[in-house]
Amino acid sequence: MLTQIYQKLSFFNTSMSGGFEGIVTETKEKYESQICYIGRVKCWADEARFSGKLIGI
């Protein structure tokens, strides 16, 4: 997954009880949005049930 300026992103759960964050992979800087791009497709990263992650379009 990428930002609009082609930075690689990582999304993860912050704890077993919930919470979801993203970071710019190379810099470890917190990514404040859930919007990401796969290729040229605008997507939405979110937390799913049971500590899962999902990417929607």
Side-chain angles (χ1 to χ4, degrees):
M1 288 158 287
L2 304 169
T3 65
Q4 198 166 7
I5 56 171
Y6 303 107
Q7 295 173 303
K8 290 183 182 181
L9 299 173
S10 298
F11 292 99
F12 57 92
N13 295 96
T14 57
S15 72
M16 292 295 289
S17 61
F20 183 76
E21 288 187 3
I23 61 169
V24 177
T25 305
E26 291 86 5
T27 64
K28 307 296 187 234
E29 178 183 344
K30 186 173 180 178
Y31 185 64
E32 298 290 339
S33 178
Q34 290 177 285
I35 296 172
C36 59
Y37 293 82
I38 299 176
R40 293 179 185 229
V41 178
K42 186 176 183 178
C43 302
W44 181 266
D46 208 350
E47 181 178 13
R49 297 180 84 183
F50 306 113
S51 298
K53 292 165 274 312
L54 64 90
I55 304 297
I57 55 172

